[in-house]
């Protein structure tokens, strides 16, 4: 249907009036970015309940699940800091006036957060525990933990900005599944490639939302104005965020795994019917098109089927490989560069801290196995947790 000048509204059939909103369905940043077949106060007949249920594809949802996810992450971080109890487990702490909630030293955790031992206790992704102790639940719990205040703020800001927009357009069920499954996909790829360190964070889920936005733009291409501008902007944002992941101590495999999972899920969850089909559903009874429009375009159906098959097979094969103890680095000699590129400014060597300790009275001697540094601490009956904390600080 053409987009030229329209006759007076009293002469426009309902199908044309729906289509006339297409030009501003995606370009507006306000609440006008959804299609509403019947205006409030319109003199056109109200669709019957069956027809109204079909308009759910363009319904404006109230976002509550994404903010709830953010609140849950903050609460878990507070609990983690309470369990960490730095003054009781470390010689020095940052912001001691916070008592139990004070942070580990910068040398051990520059993100202002708990120790790696506490994160592991709370459910961080530890591949050894997943494989040998059958703790597969860590693939999910790790996405609700964060390494520090900076890590938490960065992820939560991104989730709010991207997640609320998606939940408004597609509802809490689809966006909730997209968030959780993408987080799982990110954890799975991370576990296959990074097996010597623990991993935490909602970055995989966040990148899943970004991937979902990209595939949603592609599969619903026909209902966008300014298509290339929207695509270019989104691709630039994604590339910049993935580029940050090549820095040391950033788990870019979780980013990549979450993004690919979310990208594929977007074709499955975030598909919209074409406008021609919507026009037919809400046209007056006397309106009968010469040729009925299908609900979805052929390319949408093809992408839906292919993406569903790839995501099911990919996650299944990856999970089986992980539980069998496969190290993906053995099958891809260059893949480690996807997570960290070594330069003269930094090293990508980030092995876990191992130390030799010797207690003589109240004198504790600790030697780091990786860098050979030694130090003496005067502690009476230190716990194994405190020794591990000191070891981590010494090897940092």
């Amino acid at each position: 249907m053409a987009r030229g000048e329209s006759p007076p509204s009293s002469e426009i059939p309902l199908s044309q009036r729906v289509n006339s909103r297409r030009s501003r369905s995606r370009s507006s940043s306000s609440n006008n970015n959804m299609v509403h077949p019947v205006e409030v106060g319109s003199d056109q007949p109200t669709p019957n309940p069956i027809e109204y249920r079909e308009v759910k594809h363009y319904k404006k949802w109230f976002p509550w699940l994404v903010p709830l996810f953010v609140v849950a992450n903050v609460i878990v971080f507070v609990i983690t800091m309470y369990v960490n109890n730095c003054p009781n487990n470390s010689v020095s702490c940052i912001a001691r006036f916070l008592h139990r909630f004070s942070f580990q030293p910068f040398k051990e955790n520059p993100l202002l957060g708990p120790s790696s031992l506490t994160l592991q206790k709370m459910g961080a992704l530890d591949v050894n525990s997943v494989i040998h102790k059958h703790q597969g639940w860590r693939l999910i719990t790790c996405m609700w933990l964060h390494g520090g205040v900076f890590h938490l703020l960065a992820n939560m800001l991104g989730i709010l900005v991207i997640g609320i927009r998606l939940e408004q357009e597609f509802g809490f069920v689809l966006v909730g599944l997209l968030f959780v499954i993408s987080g799982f996909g990110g954890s799975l790829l991370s576990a296959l490639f990074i097996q010597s360190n623990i991993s935490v964070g909602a970055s995989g889920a966040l990148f899943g939302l970004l991937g979902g936005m990209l595939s949603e733009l592609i599969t619903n291409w026909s209902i966008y104005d300014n298509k290339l501008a929207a695509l270019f902007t989104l691709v630039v944002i994604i590339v910049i965020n993935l580029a940050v992941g090549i820095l040391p101590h950033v788990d870019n495999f979780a980013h990549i795994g979450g993004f690919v999972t979310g990208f594929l899920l977007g074709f499955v969850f975030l598909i919209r019917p074409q406008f021609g089909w919507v026009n037919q559903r809400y046209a007056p009874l006397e309106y009968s098109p010469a040729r009925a429009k299908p609900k979805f375009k052929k390319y949408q159906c093809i992408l839906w089927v292919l993406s569903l098959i790839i995501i099911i097979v990919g996650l299944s094969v990856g999970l089986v490989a992980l539980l069998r103890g496969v190290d993906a680095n053995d099958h891809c000699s260059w893949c480690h560069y996807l997570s960290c590129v070594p330069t003269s400014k930094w090293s990508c060597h980030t092995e876990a801290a191992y130390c030799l300790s010797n207690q003589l009275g109240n004198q504790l001697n600790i030697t780091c196995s990786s860098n050979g540094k030694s130090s003496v601490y005067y502690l009476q009956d230190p716990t194994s947790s405190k020794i591990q904390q000191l070891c981590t600080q010494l090897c940092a």
Side-chain angles (χ1 to χ4, degrees):
M1 201 170 293
R3 289 196 189 179
E5 292 187 5
S6 302
S9 60
S10 60
E11 300 177 9
I12 306 175
L14 181 56
S15 58
Q16 289 181 333
R17 299 181 76 181
V18 173
N19 202 40
S20 68
R21 302 176 72 94
R22 177 176 173 182
S23 63
R24 55 183 198 271
S25 65
R26 291 286 177 176
S27 59
S28 170
S29 60
S30 66
N31 289 337
N32 294 329
N33 64 338
M34 307 301 292
V35 173
H36 300 281
V38 179
E39 296 283 358
V40 177
S42 172
D43 56 355
Q44 298 295 340
T46 303
N48 62 44
I50 296 177
E51 290 178 324
Y52 183 76
R53 281 198 293 272
E54 296 292 351
V55 85
K56 66 182 180 180
H57 297 282
Y58 299 99
K59 174 184 176 182
K60 196 76 171 178
W61 296 79
F62 176 77
W64 61 269
L65 185 62
V66 169
L68 184 62
F69 282 163
V70 172
V71 172
N73 275 274
V74 173
I75 291 175
V76 170
F77 181 74
V78 172
I79 294 174
T80 303
M81 292 306 302
Y82 179 84
V83 173
N84 185 64
N85 194 6
C86 181
N88 198 47
N89 294 305
S90 294
V91 175
S92 62
C93 300
I94 298 175
R96 273 190 173 271
F97 63 88
L98 294 175
H99 304 293
R100 290 187 69 114
F101 298 97
S102 56
F103 309 111
Q104 296 299 125
F106 269 119
K107 210 170 186 182
E108 180 183 352
N109 187 345
L111 298 174
L112 290 182
S115 67
S116 57
L117 201 63
T118 300
L119 290 171
Q120 189 173 21
K121 186 188 303 182
M122 293 293 293
L125 178 56
D126 176 20
V127 176
N128 182 63
S129 298
V130 172
I131 298 174
H132 302 293
K133 299 181 181 179
H134 309 292
Q135 296 178 356
W137 45 267
R138 290 181 178 271
L139 293 167
I140 297 294
T141 56
C142 67
M143 59 185 286
W144 304 98
L145 295 168
H146 286 84
V149 174
F150 299 142
H151 189 201
L152 179 70
L153 289 177
N155 278 344
M156 294 307 101
L157 180 60
I159 289 172
L160 280 175
V161 171
I162 300 169
I164 286 181
R165 179 257 177 185
L166 286 175
E167 188 176 354
Q168 284 176 331
E169 294 196 19
F170 297 97
F172 68 93
V173 175
L174 296 180
V175 174
L177 289 172
L178 176 64
F179 184 90
V180 174
I181 299 175
S182 296
F184 174 78
S187 299
L188 186 57
L189 190 67
S190 173
L192 287 169
F193 281 97
I194 302 178
Q195 303 193 347
S196 59
N197 296 323
I198 64 171
S199 179
V200 294
S203 302
L206 172 58
F207 274 80
L209 296 179
L210 279 172
M213 286 184 68
L214 180 59
S215 55
E216 188 268 331
L217 171 60
I218 295 172
T219 193
N220 300 322
W221 187 257
S222 61
I223 67 175
Y224 273 88
D225 285 330
N226 303 320
K227 300 176 176 64
L228 294 179
L231 179 62
F232 177 77
T233 302
L234 187 54
V235 168
V236 168
I237 293 173
I238 292 169
V239 169
I240 291 174
N241 279 276
L242 287 174
V244 173
I246 65 175
L247 297 173
H249 306 290
V250 178
D251 186 359
N252 211 30
F253 285 114
H255 297 173
I256 296 171
F259 175 79
V260 172
T261 304
F263 181 72
L264 294 171
L265 287 174
F267 291 119
V268 179
F269 290 158
L270 309 183
I271 185 173
R272 288 195 185 280
Q274 59 175 312
F275 272 99
W277 178 85
V278 175
N279 292 341
Q280 292 172 185
R281 298 294 296 180
Y282 292 93
L285 295 177
E286 64 272 12
Y287 173 73
S288 55
R291 184 179 179 183
K293 295 281 187 180
K295 186 174 182 179
F296 301 108
K297 293 181 180 291
K298 286 185 179 179
Y299 79 87
Q300 289 179 303
C301 298
I302 293 173
L303 289 172
W304 190 94
V305 173
L306 289 177
S307 298
L308 185 62
I309 293 173
I310 294 172
I311 198 68
I312 292 175
V313 173
L315 291 179
S316 300
V317 171
L319 186 59
V320 170
L322 174 63
L323 296 179
R324 289 186 175 182
V326 172
D327 185 348
N329 293 288
D330 296 336
H331 306 279
C332 182
S333 59
W334 56 268
C335 285
H336 62 278
Y337 291 116
L338 294 174
S339 185
C340 182
V341 177
T343 69
S344 58
K345 302 294 183 181
W346 64 71
S347 170
C348 294
H349 188 69
T350 56
E351 286 189 358
Y354 295 101
C355 296
L356 298 175
S357 62
N358 183 27
Q359 181 80 35
L360 294 174
N362 65 342
Q363 180 177 309
L364 175 65
N365 300 295
I366 299 180
T367 302
C368 177
S369 302
S370 59
N371 58 25
K373 290 182 179 180
S374 297
S375 186
V376 178
Y377 304 91
Y378 293 95
L379 299 171
Q380 189 68 37
D381 299 324
T383 62
S384 58
S385 174
K386 182 166 287 189
I387 294 175
Q388 182 61 41
Q389 300 284 355
L390 295 172
C391 172
T392 303
Q393 294 174 33
L394 190 62
C395 294

